[in-house]
Amino acid sequence: MTSIHTDSDSPFGLANLPYGVFSLANQRRRCCTRLGDTVVDLSELLGEPHFDQSSLNSFMALGHDRWVETRDRLQELLAADVPDTALHSINDVELHLPIEVADYVDFYASEYHASNLGRLFRPDNPDPLQPNWKHLPVGYHGRAASIVVSGTDIVRPCGQRKGTDDDVPVFGPSQRLDIEAEMGFIVGTTNPMGSRIDVEEADQHIFGAVIFNDWSARDIQAWEYVPLGPNLGKSFASTISPWVVPMLALEHAKVPTPTQEPTPLPYLAMASPWGLDIDMAVEWNGHRISQPPYRTMYWSPAQMLAHITVNGAPVRPGDLFASGTVSGPEKNQRGAFIELTWGGAEPVDVGGEARTFVEDGDEIVISAEATGPNGARLGFGQARARVLPAHL
Ligand code: MN
């Protein structure tokens, strides 16, 4: 039996206890949590079959009461001595995609991001926001199969593009590969088809949150998106962090959203719409170039989930919805390079190099920390990826 050591300022203290999936060399995947730099095998510690699984989906499907019970038990067990057979150093394990992603929807919930893109793409329009933007959380359906865990290399996508000077479209590697720093929310429980999730009960259905990098090929996107929205410019890859921070740990991070005016329709209206006090950071080849503040997001995750189901569509355990690019009011708070470089017109300094979009060999790391109880910081780890040359 061992008492797990954690530094008092660790972003992986007892207040966090994120969930993940790990394996040791040549062994099967199992569910885990993390305390300090120790990975705790939950199937070994708790002996419950839903943790002896290669994803968190079975555990998530048990529902909110069991999430509360399990977290309470873990906080009690891990504060005392723990059997050595359940403990591994973070350096000795491989971390995997924590969930089997069922469906994936991406939103567009930052007013700063939506306004910046409106100004870039519709410079002659006096209102940078589309007329629907303050009435519903705008979103599109993405591809679940290309969501990968941090550390997975990203191959530059090929596709059609047509620049303003091109007479006809051409095919080839994207020349405007971008990132979108977002948070992703994982749905733990279902609703029957034909029913809807009430906006005030939505947080009982959200299991937890991850960092989400929505890789975006701007040139492919610009040509394809009219009139039905993003497709192949987005669907080639998205990177998530290996740690799912439970919503139960994020209770202390809840903060009011910015004022929602006009008042949303009743199915979206909340007594106190909440956002999350999360600080994100984007590193480009080791240089921190942006710090997007999640607390500035206009729409609440609860409103996004209520909106997904308002037409009676069911969600399932493992559904993931992402917030959309997180951008704050300042230039160094913009979460996408198209905004940061104003469409490529204003290069940024990346360690002495003037850069606009992502080049082959570049490494992008997005990290995030939330506010926890008593000044604690709650880490999400990283969503890290390197870009490899296109397959021609
Ligand atoms: Mn996005």
Side-chain angles (χ1 to χ4, degrees), residues 264-277:
L265 286 167
Y267 81 91
L268 288 172
M270 301 178 76
S272 328
W274 51 269
L276 292 166
D277 191 17

Side-chain angles (χ1 to χ4, degrees), residues 129-214:
L129 295 177
Q130 297 280 13
N132 61 2
W133 198 89
K134 289 208 164 174
H135 295 280
L136 58 89
V138 169
Y140 68 93
H141 262 271
R143 179 159 296 276
S146 53
I147 294 174
V148 294
V149 74
S150 178
T152 308
D153 291 335
I154 303 300
V155 175
R156 178 180 298 274
C158 287
Q160 277 198 33
R161 61 174 187 273
K162 184 178 173 299
T164 40
D165 299 333
D166 296 333
D167 294 331
V168 291
V170 296
F171 177 84
S174 169
Q175 296 177 343
R176 287 162 70 92
L177 180 59
D178 198 355
I179 67 149
E180 293 190 337
E182 310 190 9
M183 295 302 297
F185 298 92
I186 294 167
V187 178
T189 50
T190 188
N191 61 306
M193 186 162 169
S195 73
R196 58 183 66 148
I197 293 176
D198 186 279
V199 69
E200 298 288 3
E201 289 166 15
D203 58 353
Q204 308 273 306
H205 290 264
I206 304 174
F207 176 74
V210 292
I211 302 166
F212 193 93
N213 183 354
D214 177 23

Side-chain angles (χ1 to χ4, degrees), residues 104 106-107 140 180 182 214 234 324-325:
Y104 158 54
D106 193 27
F107 283 98
Y140 68 93
E180 293 190 337
E182 310 190 9
D214 177 23
K234 299 277 196 173
T325 306

Side-chain angles (χ1 to χ4, degrees), residues 297-334:
M297 299 298 273
Y298 187 86
W299 292 105
S300 169
Q303 292 170 318
M304 298 183 220
L305 182 55
H307 186 66
I308 290 177
T309 63
V310 74
N311 61 353
V315 290
R316 292 178 292 178
D319 268 28
L320 194 158
F321 64 92
S323 61
T325 306
V326 181
S327 289
E330 308 300 329
K331 185 168 181 180
N332 65 1
Q333 295 179 324
R334 295 176 185 166

